[in-house]
Amino acid sequence: MEASDHHFNREDRSRKWKRIAAHLRDHPEDLAIALENMDRWETLGRVHPEPIRCWRERIRTAMASDAGMNALIGFLEAPNHDSEPIKSCSPFVGLPLRADARPAS
């Protein structure tokens, strides 16, 4: 593989999830983007609906209260990407994340 291969330049997953958490902390209204993504996936007949159900539950809880939002942020920031299968089905594609807003390593 060449050094330009995207696998060599892919953002560390822990950093990516912390960046998503930071964005949502500042822009909780963008949780609507995740819900819209999941609506689209369900309309298209996504084969595995369980991750969508789990994300919807977490997001709705986050939208309902500060405690729920804090729980979601904590989940996103946790270094649990290998133990939490739903993180492999991220509904947060399309968030307007700034590349320069990545947390320090």
Side-chain angles (χ1 to χ4, degrees):
M1 288 189 210
E2 295 181 23
S4 62
D5 187 308
H6 77 278
H7 292 98
F8 291 112
N9 299 313
R10 185 171 41 188
E11 182 177 12
D12 174 78
R13 287 183 288 183
S14 292
R15 289 178 58 181
K16 178 184 91 168
W17 285 106
K18 287 179 182 178
R19 202 159 58 95
I20 291 170
H23 176 84
L24 292 173
R25 185 180 294 113
D26 294 339
H27 305 282
E29 68 278 5
D30 283 352
L31 287 171
I33 293 171
L35 292 174
E36 290 167 4
N37 286 334
M38 291 183 290
D39 288 344
R40 186 175 59 258
W41 297 342
E42 286 182 322
T43 299
L44 294 172
R46 180 168 170 82
V47 178
H48 302 289
E50 185 60 15
I52 293 173
R53 188 197 65 72
C54 292
W55 276 120
R56 277 192 193 282
E57 183 178 320
R58 287 179 183 275
I59 290 169
R60 286 186 178 136
T61 299
M63 294 172 95
S65 71
D66 289 342
M69 179 58 94
N70 290 335
L72 177 64
I73 296 298
F75 174 76
L76 296 176
E77 290 178 331
N80 60 0
H81 50 273
D82 290 328
S83 62
E84 286 292 346
I86 70 168
K87 280 192 167 178
S88 68
C89 175
S90 172
F92 301 108
V93 295
L95 288 181
L97 302 175
R98 291 186 8 232
D100 61 345
R102 292 183 183 183
S105 32

